[in-house]
Amino acid sequence: VNDCYDSLAGRSKSWKSLLYVPVLVEKYLDKALNSGAEAIILDLEDSVPLANKDKAREKLSDTINKLKGYDISLFVRVNAPWRLMIRDLEAAVLSGVTAIMCPKIKSAWHVKEISNVIHQLESERGITPGTIGLVAIVEDPESYFNLEQIAVADPRILWVSLGTEDLAAELGVDPSDEKGGLKYAKFQTVMANKKAGLEPVGLVSSMANFRDLERLKIIAEDSKKMGFVGATCIHPSQVPVINKAFSPSEEERKWALRVKNLFEESLSKGSASVSMDGSMIDTPVYKRAKNIIARSCIHQ
Ligand code: 1VU
């Protein structure tokens, strides 16, 4: 069991697949629960028209009560403008909620202010302060340069994401081109998360056509290679593709176990490097292998 957690910087949970569900579309709930997603994101933002925001907030607590007995994490995405966000937080800070996803985050100060509101609501509602996590979504060039500070702004932060569509619009680049302008920004996001000890969720590019699962597979595999550990999606058919792409393959697991056993045997004989299949196995390779083993345990 120790091997499962050792190399994840003390964190015991990361998410491979998170499925968006517009709060008012009740018929999606059963499907979402059975989709294989590790988390449901109950959306109060873009998928809810302005005129229906109050209705969605009123519905949230019933929905969370219905879902919280299941083995699935519950996230709520709130709106960015303060007047909407405060009302969203009033509705969303409830027992059973894993984290609040906050779009259009600008700075570390912005995160702190939101975290303070969550803290007050937790205290008033008998939830241990600090229980509910926060996902920060950065969506414009100015905030992008605050990524590192945002990632360490508050212990609630689970990870920081880039809002692909909005950022691409600001830059005037194609969000679905994984080799285009966003690639560097995506990798910087991985680095900022890793520096803060966080496990980044995201895709290297946006999925223009959610029915194109072949393309999703390629994008998700590329994202894993870049260091992302999971992705959000909007349709249940995307979930198995994402789960598979972000899980260690059988080949990776076998390789990792061989490396671990061989290296530990070599260490016991007093050497910190050994050869396997013509390649040198040393401490960084061992560390990478232990990471794969950790992911295999968590994702079984
Ligand atoms: O077979 P059934 O009739 O029982 O079920 C349908 C459908 O109801 C269900 N389904 C879902 N279930 C759970 N969660 C979902 N998100 C979801 N979407 C669909 O699956 C069965 C097949 O559905 P379908 O292929 O007929 O698809 P529809 O035409 O019904 O729906 C397509 C859209 C795109 C409208 C739907 O998937 C959706 O509303 N997705 C979520 C949209 C959303 O949350 N957007 C905001 C976040 S994305 C963002 O902001 C960009 C980052």
Side-chain angles (χ1 to χ4, degrees):
V1 170
N2 283 341
D3 280 336
C4 295
Y5 296 102
D6 270 4
S7 37
L8 287 176
R11 293 172 47 73
S12 59
K13 183 73 187 152
S14 63
W15 289 265
K16 281 199 302 278
S17 52
L18 303 95
L19 175 63
Y20 275 104
V21 172
V23 170
L24 289 173
V25 190
E26 201 167 341
K27 67 171 184 168
Y28 284 175
L29 291 180
D30 273 349
K31 201 90 182 177
L33 279 173
N34 294 312
S35 65
E38 293 184 340
I40 292 176
I41 307 170
L42 295 163
D43 189 33
L44 291 172
E45 202 211 11
D46 287 350
S47 68
V48 179
L50 192 58
N52 288 347
K53 299 279 185 203
D54 275 338
K55 211 164 144 197
R57 291 182 194 112
E58 278 161 26
K59 201 161 173 41
L60 199 57
S61 111
D62 267 0
T63 306
I64 287 162
N65 280 333
K66 249 182 234 164
L67 298 178
K68 75 180 181 188
Y70 293 88
D71 183 22
I72 194 161
S73 302
L74 301 178
F75 288 62
V76 180
R77 186 171 72 165
V78 296
N79 291 275
W82 279 113
R83 290 180 64 202
L84 296 181
M85 186 193 279
I86 295 294
R87 283 143 72 193
D88 291 348
L89 291 175
E90 297 268 359
V93 175
L94 298 170
S95 150
V97 169
T98 300
I100 307 288
M101 294 187 85
C102 301
K104 300 185 172 51
I105 288 295
K106 303 285 181 199
S107 62
W109 176 87
H110 194 181
V111 170
K112 271 286 171 211
E113 291 300 303
I114 297 168
S115 178
N116 286 340
V117 177
I118 299 174
H119 183 106
Q120 286 165 28
L121 290 164
E122 284 174 329
S123 304
E124 283 168 23
R125 295 171 181 189
I127 303 168
T128 308
T131 303
I132 295 183
L134 197 157
V135 175
I137 310 173
V138 166
E139 312 200 28
D140 67 277
E142 195 185 337
S143 314
Y144 167 78
F145 285 99
N146 295 330
L147 270 177
E148 287 177 43
Q149 294 94 308
I150 290 170
V152 295
D154 194 277
R156 288 186 199 278
I157 297 265
L158 297 179
W159 69 84
V160 184
S161 286
L162 276 193
T164 310
E165 299 287 347
D166 286 75
L167 191 59
E170 296 255 4
L171 298 177
V173 300
D174 177 0
S176 57
D177 177 6
E178 69 272 25
K179 296 189 178 75
L182 283 182
K183 188 173 178 184
Y184 174 78
K186 290 281 180 172
F187 185 59
Q188 284 299 106
T189 311
V190 171
M191 291 294 265
N193 276 283
K194 292 286 181 182
K195 186 179 169 196
L198 308 174
E199 298 291 339
V201 168
L203 291 174
V204 283
S205 70
S206 91
M207 268 301 299
N209 178 355
F210 67 88
R211 302 225 185 260
D212 188 349
L213 299 179
E214 269 309 305
R215 172 109 179 110
L216 175 64
K217 176 175 178 284
I218 294 167
I219 291 175
E221 286 172 354
D222 284 352
S223 307
K224 181 184 163 205
K225 284 179 198 156
M226 193 181 266
F228 288 106
V229 300
T232 62
C233 58
I234 59 154
H235 192 278
S237 64
Q238 297 177 308
V239 172
V241 179
I242 288 176
N243 279 341
K244 184 156 186 230
F246 285 103
S247 298
S249 66
E250 197 47 39
E251 201 181 323
E252 281 175 305
R253 284 180 216 208
K254 282 185 185 152
W255 173 85
L257 280 172
R258 282 181 66 214
V259 166
K260 178 180 177 291
N261 292 337
L262 195 64
F263 186 77
E264 286 175 359
E265 188 189 328
S266 170
L267 273 186
S268 72
K269 292 177 186 159
S271 170
S273 65
V274 60
S275 96
M276 188 179 95
D277 305 336
S279 295
M280 181 181 71
I281 307 299
D282 60 0
T283 302
V285 180
Y286 174 63
K287 199 171 158 193
R288 187 152 54 87
K290 291 224 323 172
N291 253 317
I292 291 171
I293 294 166
R295 299 226 157 278
S296 305
C297 295
I298 283 172
H299 293 153
Q300 267 162 10

